[in-house]
Amino acid sequence: MADEHGRKWDRCFADSAVKTVTGLGVGIVLSVLFFKRRTWPIAFSSGMGFGMAYSNCQHDFRSPYLLHGHMVKDQ
Amino acid sequence: MLRVCLKGANAAARKCLCERAGHPLQHCRRYTSAGDSGSVAGKIVAASLLTVGGGLGGTILYAKWDPKFRANVEKNVPYSDQLFGMTLGPPPPPVVPLPKKPAKVEPLQISTLSEASKESKQPKVKEKVKAKEKEAPVEPAPVAEETPAPPPQSLEAEECKECAHESAPALQERPVEEVTARLAEQDKAEQDTLASLTAGLDDTLGSSAKLTLQAIGAQEAALAAIATHTQKLKEAMDSESPPDRKSSQWRVLEEALSERNRAVDNAAEALLKAKGELEKLKGVINSAKESKIDTARPQILAAEENLHSMIVDLDKVATKVQTAQSEAKIVSQYSDLVNEAKAQFQKELESIAPEIQANWRGLTGKLSMDDLNSLIAHAHRRIDQLNRELAEQRVREQIHVEKALEQQKLEDQKALEQALATALEHNREEMRLEQERKVQEVRDVMEAEMRTQLRRQAAAHTDHLRDVLKVQEQELREEAQQVLGSKLLEQETHFRKLSQEQLDAFTLDMNAAHARLKGIEEAIDSHVVAEEEARKAHQLWLSVEALNYSLNTAGADAPTEPLEDAVRTIKEKCAENEFAQALTLALPEESLTRGVFSEASLRARFYGIRQLARRVALIDETRNSLYQYFLSYLQSVLLFEREQEAPPAKLAPEDLDTFKLLAYATYSIEHGDLELAAKFVNQLRGESRRVAQDWLKEARLTLETKQVVSLLSAYANAVGLGTTQAP
């Protein structure tokens, strides 16, 4: 389990790095292509990328505690 | 309850009053509440006291009058019975219905009494009566026993009843023997008196009969004498017989007269004697009657009848004699008169013609003319005189006759009365006798009837006795059987007990011998077994040692080699040792296949786990965002604490903090107590727990294996020790 924890963190970091950079890249591309070289798409998409990574990471860490409920319909 | 109601009513009344008084009172109260409150309170207190007192007094009075109410209150209200006891005294006892026995018994008494009184002749029956009365209830019994004692003395039933009624209140039961003795005595006495009475009666009867006969004879003789005398007199007067015959006639007459006188005297004497004897007889009869013995009754009756008949006869004869006497008197009077007339005539004749002799009838030839003339003149004169006298006499005769008639009537009357009286007497006497005869008859009939009834009663009694005896016999037999049965049972049980004891003793000895034998055999067997066991134990020990050794093959970070082989050895070598087999089964699978980590490696790993657990201390099911992760990391960095802390004997809730737990676990593991450390680590919660799960599992495995192996070795040691025989 301890290893799992470490592995999660590794994944987290890797994922966040990838996503942020990807976001950055997409932002740059977008800003260059569509948004007249403004800064905000870059920040936006990198933020989006980091956010996605964060969310993924959080989900990953939460995953053991998540309860999946099933709705039972009365028949 | 009454008090409560009264109080409530009073309170309601007061409230009503207050309400009615209403507003002004309220106003008043508001203004004068301060001053009036005391008086109002006093009024209230007084009113309540009055109510309570009135209620209590009313209850007590009513309870005094009605006991049911009192009982009710005593039942429902506690301690009220004490209050009532103090004021009214103890409660009245419940009314018990009077027994009806005396009334029921009374008719029985009287009937038995009357029966007993009627039947008093035969002692047998009396005894039966006694026996019957013995079984009857006590009350009738002494009464009935008492009454047979009086009846022998009292013949009349009425007197009997009186006796019974009088003696009923004060009774004592006499014993049977005394009563029978008394009865026997009484019977004897009765018999004696009876005998004496009868003897007396007979004597007197005989004597009186004799005397009466004598009297009657005398009377008849007198009668005859009187008759002859009268006859003679008549003859003497009427007949015209010659003088010599006349004198003889007169002589005869005188004789007859004297005879008659004597006879009459005799008769009178005899009559007197007879009368005296009859009086005596009457006296004896009366005394006999007074002695009151029933048996003498017919005799008495007969005697009375005899007496009566004797009296009647005597009277008859006496009357006859009297009539004869009166006739004779008449005749004699007539004769006297005639004689007188004759004498007178003679005198006259003598006075006239003195020379004429007395007996002038034979001298008709001697008379002269003068004499004749004078005689004729005298005769004429005499005739005239006589005619005159006759006339006178006729006149006087009428008067005389009337007088005589009257006298006669009187005398007749008297005689009639007397005769009537005597006849009445006789009739009365006859009636009385008849009545007595009838009474006697009735009595006899009644006696006979009573005898039959008593016989019936006796029969019923015998039947009852028979039944009772039968029942008793049955009961006694059953009792005897029961006793016999119980005694038999006792004897049997005793015998059985003895035999059982013998058997038991024998069995005991046998068992002892057997046991000893068995013991010896067992000792030998156990020796063999023990040796076998020793060998086995040795085997086991060797195998367990092998296992133990294999445990020590753990590397720094690698687990031991799989314990499978060693376990297999144990299984094979010690197949019959069930405990070892069970224990080998208890080894966890992992240890068999993969092997377990050593304690040292676990110890080393623990620190890494500790670090990690500290880092994720804040994360649990609810707070697990990345920010929390950051915070918990910060906490672990900033929190300073001792690395090792001695765990307390008891864990308090505040000790369940991650850091504290980890400190305790570190302390324990440093002091070699892996188990305790594992326990503490087990108390972690949340992410820390998840993180330490691996380590915990490994620790568990190791602990389990170690436990089993230690058990096995302990067991092997124990077995080895057990099998070694002390020198």
Side-chain angles (χ1 to χ4, degrees):
Chain A
M1 283 300 133
D3 300 341
E4 183 71 30
H5 193 84
R7 276 200 286 276
K8 273 190 187 167
W9 274 116
D10 293 340
R11 274 206 301 278
C12 197
F13 284 132
D15 199 31
S16 69
V18 162
K19 284 211 168 56
T20 315
V21 166
T22 311
L24 191 75
V26 166
I28 289 168
V29 165
L30 281 178
S31 120
V32 158
L33 285 180
F34 298 112
F35 291 105
K36 299 168 202 159
R37 301 239 176 149
R38 303 254 183 104
T39 330
W40 64 265
I42 302 169
F44 180 71
S45 61
S46 69
M48 247 175 66
F50 182 73
M52 283 196 290
Y54 186 90
S55 179
N56 269 353
C57 198
Q58 195 169 269
H59 183 82
D60 197 12
F61 274 113
R62 268 190 191 164
S63 58
Y65 300 110
L66 278 177
L67 293 167
H68 296 96
H70 300 276
M71 185 123 121
V72 178
K73 276 199 196 157
D74 286 335
Q75 299 252 323
Chain B
M1 205 154 69
L2 208 62
R3 273 181 264 156
V4 165
C5 286
L6 274 171
K7 208 162 185 172
N10 212 10
R14 283 171 56 70
K15 210 173 23 171
C16 208
L17 264 173
C18 289
E19 278 179 0
R20 217 179 290 150
H23 300 291
L25 202 62
Q26 278 180 355
H27 290 305
C28 289
R29 236 190 262 136
R30 252 188 229 126
Y31 293 136
T32 60
S33 61
D36 258 348
S37 67
S39 72
V40 165
K43 275 197 209 150
I44 288 169
V45 165
S48 59
L49 273 174
L50 214 77
T51 318
V52 166
L56 262 174
T59 319
I60 289 174
L61 275 171
Y62 189 61
K64 190 174 185 178
W65 186 61
D66 185 11
K68 265 199 215 150
F69 172 72
R70 176 175 175 166
N72 241 351
V73 170
E74 279 181 9
K75 202 167 51 170
N76 289 329
V77 178
Y79 300 115
S80 59
D81 53 349
Q82 285 181 12
L83 178 68
F84 281 137
M86 271 198 302
T87 50
L88 298 175
V95 176
V96 172
L98 294 166
K100 290 224 185 267
K101 252 181 80 173
K104 190 185 55 117
V105 165
E106 273 298 321
L108 180 66
Q109 258 184 357
I110 290 170
S111 66
T112 55
L113 273 178
S114 56
E115 285 182 39
S117 70
K118 275 187 187 155
E119 180 59 61
S120 58
K121 281 186 207 174
Q122 302 175 4
K124 245 195 325 182
V125 184
K126 250 189 248 152
E127 273 179 15
K128 275 194 187 156
V129 165
K130 219 67 73 296
K132 179 187 75 144
E133 298 301 334
K134 273 269 173 257
E135 290 174 11
V138 176
E139 263 194 13
V143 174
E145 273 180 16
E146 276 289 329
T147 47
Q153 280 95 33
S154 70
L155 283 172
E156 275 80 31
E158 305 91 59
E159 280 184 62
C160 244
K161 275 183 193 162
E162 280 177 11
C163 275
H165 284 299
E166 276 170 11
S167 59
L171 289 173
Q172 281 165 2
E173 201 172 326
R174 297 184 194 171
V176 183
E177 301 85 16
E178 198 188 317
V179 167
T180 46
R182 263 184 79 107
L183 276 168
E185 266 180 43
Q186 279 168 2
D187 288 346
K188 210 158 55 74
E190 197 187 304
Q191 297 276 6
D192 292 339
T193 43
L194 182 70
S196 65
L197 267 175
T198 41
L201 265 174
D202 287 337
D203 286 341
T204 42
L205 255 175
S207 60
S208 59
K210 228 181 357 178
L211 281 172
T212 315
L213 278 171
Q214 268 182 14
I216 288 175
Q219 300 277 8
E220 298 217 325
L223 206 70
I226 292 170
T228 48
H229 170 74
T230 320
Q231 185 76 20
K232 289 267 173 348
L233 196 60
K234 267 203 201 134
E235 275 181 19
M237 288 219 285
D238 293 338
S239 70
E240 305 263 338
S241 55
D244 51 344
R245 265 229 264 165
K246 198 112 185 155
S247 56
S248 68
Q249 257 188 355
W250 283 118
R251 233 194 348 271
V252 161
L253 197 63
E254 275 177 25
E255 277 177 23
L257 180 66
S258 60
E259 181 74 35
R260 170 196 146 174
N261 285 337
R262 212 194 36 217
V264 164
D265 288 338
N266 257 0
E269 231 181 81
L271 188 69
L272 272 172
K273 260 198 269 180
K275 278 231 155 77
E277 197 64 33
L278 284 171
E279 285 293 326
K280 212 167 55 173
L281 178 64
K282 204 178 242 173
V284 168
I285 287 173
N286 280 341
S287 70
K289 269 202 221 157
E290 260 161 40
S291 68
K292 292 175 185 160
I293 301 176
D294 253 342
T295 45
R297 207 148 242 274
Q299 290 166 338
I300 290 170
L301 217 61
E304 274 186 355
E305 277 186 355
N306 282 337
L307 175 72
H308 175 66
S309 56
M310 277 192 265
I311 289 174
V312 163
D313 289 337
L314 266 178
D315 286 342
K316 258 196 258 178
V317 163
T319 44
K320 262 197 250 172
V321 165
Q322 265 186 5
T323 47
Q325 267 192 336
S326 60
E327 264 186 38
K329 214 189 315 178
I330 290 172
V331 171
S332 69
Q333 270 183 2
Y334 168 67
S335 74
D336 283 342
L337 270 172
V338 163
N339 283 341
E340 220 182 278
K342 268 200 199 147
Q344 197 164 358
F345 190 63
Q346 191 116 13
K347 256 192 257 165
E348 279 180 9
L349 217 56
E350 277 184 10
S351 70
I352 297 169
E355 57 267 20
I356 298 173
Q357 293 153 9
N359 232 349
W360 54 269
R361 280 202 178 158
L363 299 172
T364 41
K366 285 188 189 172
L367 292 169
S368 63
M369 273 317 261
D370 271 340
D371 287 334
L372 273 169
N373 282 342
S374 62
L375 206 63
I376 287 167
H378 178 72
H380 275 292
R381 263 202 307 262
R382 190 82 177 137
I383 287 168
D384 283 336
Q385 195 197 359
L386 282 173
N387 277 339
R388 258 182 291 159
E389 270 187 15
L390 194 66
E392 264 183 50
Q393 207 64 22
R394 252 193 216 129
V395 168
R396 274 204 214 117
E397 191 193 334
Q398 287 278 51
I399 299 168
H400 280 294
V401 160
E402 278 170 15
K403 252 196 252 170
L405 268 173
E406 275 181 31
Q407 217 176 20
Q408 194 61 30
K409 252 187 229 156
L410 280 169
E411 274 183 16
D412 270 348
Q413 194 93 354
K414 249 189 273 172
L416 185 74
E417 277 174 10
Q418 207 176 9
L420 206 69
T422 43
L424 215 67
E425 270 298 318
H426 289 158
N427 256 355
R428 209 175 282 146
E429 200 61 30
E430 260 178 47
M431 306 268 305
R432 194 180 62 85
L433 285 171
E434 197 160 318
Q435 190 193 26
E436 292 222 342
R437 220 180 301 131
K438 281 224 168 67
V439 161
Q440 186 67 18
E441 274 173 31
V442 166
R443 200 170 275 153
D444 287 336
V445 166
M446 284 298 136
E447 271 180 23
E449 204 172 304
M450 211 191 78
R451 225 169 280 156
T452 49
Q453 295 293 349
L454 272 174
R455 226 175 284 139
R456 227 180 267 165
Q457 212 172 35
H461 176 62
T462 46
D463 280 341
H464 172 66
L465 267 180
R466 206 178 301 138
D467 289 338
V468 165
L469 275 172
K470 220 181 278 178
V471 166
Q472 259 187 359
E473 185 194 327
Q474 200 81 354
E475 279 178 13
L476 282 172
R477 193 165 289 165
E478 272 179 30
E479 214 180 289
Q481 287 275 35
Q482 227 176 359
V483 166
L484 180 71
S486 70
K487 280 267 150 60
L488 266 173
L489 208 70
E490 232 182 82
Q491 285 298 323
E492 226 179 275
T493 48
H494 184 68
F495 170 69
R496 260 202 214 118
K497 200 170 63 169
L498 279 174
S499 63
Q500 193 66 31
E501 274 178 24
Q502 262 188 355
L503 263 171
D504 285 343
F506 180 65
T507 319
L508 212 67
D509 290 337
M510 285 300 293
N511 283 346
H514 191 73
R516 285 182 65 208
L517 180 68
K518 272 262 161 342
I520 290 166
E521 274 181 10
E522 260 186 46
I524 294 170
D525 286 337
S526 70
H527 269 275
V528 165
V529 162
E531 276 180 25
E532 181 68 31
E533 283 297 308
R535 193 185 59 78
K536 274 205 212 119
H538 209 66
Q539 284 272 24
L540 179 66
W541 190 83
L542 281 170
S543 346
V544 165
E545 273 300 302
L547 182 60
N548 233 341
Y549 182 73
S550 68
L551 265 182
N552 292 336
T553 56
D557 275 323
T560 61
E561 57 185 41
L563 306 172
E564 216 169 331
D565 297 327
V567 167
R568 208 184 310 128
T569 323
I570 292 176
K571 275 199 192 146
E572 284 166 9
K573 289 287 161 61
C574 317
E576 54 279 357
N577 202 329
E578 281 174 14
F579 189 62
Q581 296 297 319
L583 280 177
T584 51
L585 286 173
L587 276 170
E589 199 59 43
E590 285 280 331
S591 66
L592 293 174
T593 48
R594 196 204 57 179
V596 290
F597 282 95
S598 67
E599 225 169 285
S601 58
L602 283 171
R603 189 165 148 269
R605 271 173 71 181
F606 177 70
Y607 286 101
I609 296 294
R610 181 170 169 277
Q611 190 80 344
L612 199 53
R614 284 183 86 242
R615 267 199 220 138
V616 292
L618 266 178
I619 313 296
D620 56 13
E621 296 93 331
T622 54
R623 317 161 87 191
N624 47 13
S625 62
L626 278 176
Y627 180 61
Q628 289 294 334
Y629 274 98
F630 172 67
L631 281 178
S632 102
Y633 177 70
L634 200 62
Q635 185 190 32
S636 76
V637 163
L638 291 177
L639 194 72
F640 292 104
E641 49 148 21
R642 270 201 292 270
E643 194 180 318
Q644 298 177 17
E645 213 171 288
K650 266 185 166 175
L651 269 184
E654 62 261 16
D655 293 331
L656 296 177
D657 176 42
T658 314
F659 297 101
K660 264 239 161 53
L661 282 168
L662 286 169
Y664 292 152
T666 320
Y667 178 87
S668 327
I669 213 162
E670 279 304 313
H671 286 83
D673 198 346
L674 181 61
E675 194 185 330
L676 197 56
K679 281 184 192 166
F680 282 126
V681 166
N682 195 26
Q683 294 303 320
L684 289 169
R685 291 278 169 262
E687 188 67 28
S688 326
R689 188 192 181 76
R690 277 192 68 239
V691 148
Q693 207 60 29
D694 243 356
W695 184 88
L696 201 56
K697 185 168 139 257
E698 289 301 320
R700 267 204 206 110
L701 270 174
T702 310
L703 283 168
E704 267 182 46
T705 317
K706 277 225 157 60
Q707 190 183 41
V708 170
V709 166
S710 72
L711 262 175
L712 269 170
S713 65
Y715 175 65
N717 283 333
V719 164
L721 266 176
T723 54
T724 52
Q725 293 171 3

